[in-house]
Amino acid sequence: MPTPAKGPRLGGGAAHERLMLANLSAALFEHKRITTTVTKAKRLKPYAERLVTFAKRGDLASRRRVLGLISNKGIVHELFTDIAQAVENRDGGYTRITKIGNRKGDNAPMAVIELVLEPVSAKQAVVAEATKAAAKAAPVAEEAPVVETEAAETEAAEAKYAGSKPATADNVAPEGFEVKGNEDSMKYHVPGSRWYDATVAEVWFDSAESAAAAGFVPAGGDAAQAVEAE
């Protein structure tokens, strides 16, 4: 039996693993979030996101390719209509993994994997609208729309999320932006919390509300962050 390229197989063989990933993807698309082991969640993430990419293409060939993996036509229809439409402005990162501790009994590490269906941040939406407006107005006035578009793109580069500022090399909080965000785990840390000093900020937020609106969750839960913040 050939050695798998990315660690041990989930099932007894390659065919069994493909069936498991297809079934997990079908459950994810149907329920929008599922609880499974961390190992399965990590293997499912690229598999499911590839199917979402096919759904965003929306052509007949892509639909037939997905139907070859997921036989439930209702789930495939929902993937190509509702889910694809919800993530049409998102350039990847269609799923999110959140670890939830170990399972009772065998102590297996568990995680929740869910579809990221929240709208793109308001600032990115403004940039998209400005770009479309500039393209339409280009024949009438060429210079002014270009300046507005460049300014909007520069603003988007400086702040990826609403109410945020990009990380700095010295990990020093910008004035008025003290909440640390970690894009790998999609968690945020308020000043004074348990892991605040040990966390290197990948993005700074002006408040916990802004971090939550961007899709970040409090490290340790709302209660833990609230207690530590007081």
Side-chain angles (χ1 to χ4, degrees), residues 157-158 164-175 177-181 183 196 199-205:
E158 293 178 351
S164 72
K165 284 193 175 182
T168 56
D170 53 7
N171 199 36
V172 175
E175 184 176 356
F177 295 79
E178 298 182 347
V179 178
K180 292 183 177 181
E183 292 184 302
Y196 185 83
T199 300
V200 177
E202 296 178 352
V203 60
W204 295 93
F205 290 98

Side-chain angles (χ1 to χ4, degrees), residues 88-206:
E88 62 179 352
N89 295 325
R90 193 175 293 276
D91 298 327
Y94 309 121
T95 59
R96 178 190 301 131
I97 297 176
T98 305
K99 296 180 180 179
I100 58 174
N102 294 353
R103 179 168 58 192
K104 293 182 179 180
D106 59 0
N107 205 37
M110 302 296 290
V112 172
I113 180 169
E114 57 187 333
L115 294 172
V116 182
L117 302 178
E118 302 89 27
V120 181
S121 66
K123 193 173 292 295
Q124 290 177 334
V126 170
V127 172
E129 291 179 2
T131 304
K132 291 180 180 179
K136 291 181 179 179
V140 179
E142 296 182 356
E143 296 182 359
V146 171
V147 173
E148 293 176 2
T149 303
E150 290 178 352
E153 290 177 350
T154 302
E155 185 179 3
E158 293 178 351
K160 186 175 181 180
Y161 308 98
S164 72
K165 284 193 175 182
T168 56
D170 53 7
N171 199 36
V172 175
E175 184 176 356
F177 295 79
E178 298 182 347
V179 178
K180 292 183 177 181
N182 187 297
E183 292 184 302
D184 183 32
S185 62
M186 292 301 291
K187 294 182 179 180
Y188 67 81
H189 305 260
V190 300
S193 61
R194 179 178 178 184
W195 302 284
Y196 185 83
D197 293 335
T199 300
V200 177
E202 296 178 352
V203 60
W204 295 93
F205 290 98
D206 56 3

